[in-house]
Amino acid sequence: MADKLRLGIPKGSLQDATIALFKRAGWNIYADGRSYFPSIDDTEIECMLIRAQEMARYVDHGVLDAGLTGIDWVVESGLDVASVTTLTYAKQSRRKVRWVLAVPESSNYEKAEDLEGKIIATELVETSKRYFAAKGVNVKVEFSWGATEVKPPMLADAIVEVTETGSSLKANHLKIIDTVMESETHLIASKAALADAWKRQKIDQIATMLRGAIDAQAQVGLMLNVKRDNLQAVLAVLPALNSPTISQLSDSEWVAVNTILEERVARDVIPRLKAAGGAGIVEYPLNKVVL
């Protein structure tokens, strides 16, 4: 039987963003909503949908060779799995999420130490216990099965909850008084899988392409023509990953310049390039940037 890599895809809030990331990286994953075994257009990969909270356990136990999950759940599990690469994306954004300590807006709690002897509700139980223990604060940490934001003040005095924007906490009249930890998605793998030469190569391939797709998200390509007399003025305007590529055009007085830059600065750079003598300026999207 041909070699297969068993890959865990996070089910739930990260599922759609993960499938979209794989598509940008070159793989199409098809999940029909009923099956926990989505198909993928790569005969060397078998996918399985697993809750992010459980991914490290199944990778550690060898049920999966690799999987994508938040580093928060790896830390929470306490299991010894390898992080192959970081992939900073979440449900709504391309940034890290935070596990925060939040209390009712109407309360007098301003710091963790103010919660001595209180009840804390969270899904991140072990990490929260370590957080309070490190501060020497005695609290009762209770596992929350969901809807954690609605529990203070009746069912808990405070919560440790994950947030991207803080909007859900504000909507439930909660204020953040500390950050317990930051988290981002990681591609993790078992040590046994990494010790297998074929699986290691396949995992590295996935990591390279996913990383390339992530790195391309915030960047664009830019190409333009410029007279040689104006080349140095144009180059002085350009921020770049590396030195821009410069190619001779059929007219010996002109060259083509090709580079990559952050999308957020393109609106400022393009007018300056035109003013410096650039012509035929084209901005184009990138699928992957592999460094």
Side-chain angles (χ1 to χ4, degrees), residues 9-12 15 19 29-40 47-50:
I9 303 296
K11 182 175 176 57
Q15 181 177 329
I19 290 174
I29 297 175
Y30 307 96
D32 66 9
R34 295 184 297 271
S35 173
Y36 280 78
F37 298 92
S39 59
I40 184 172
C47 291
M48 184 175 183
L49 290 174
I50 295 289

Side-chain angles (χ1 to χ4, degrees), residues 125-150:
V125 173
E126 297 305 319
T127 303
S128 297
K129 286 179 179 178
R130 290 192 291 268
Y131 164 82
F132 282 104
K135 291 180 175 292
V137 180
N138 295 307
V139 296
K140 182 180 181 182
V141 179
E142 294 184 344
F143 178 75
S144 173
W145 291 93
T148 308
E149 299 100 323
V150 305

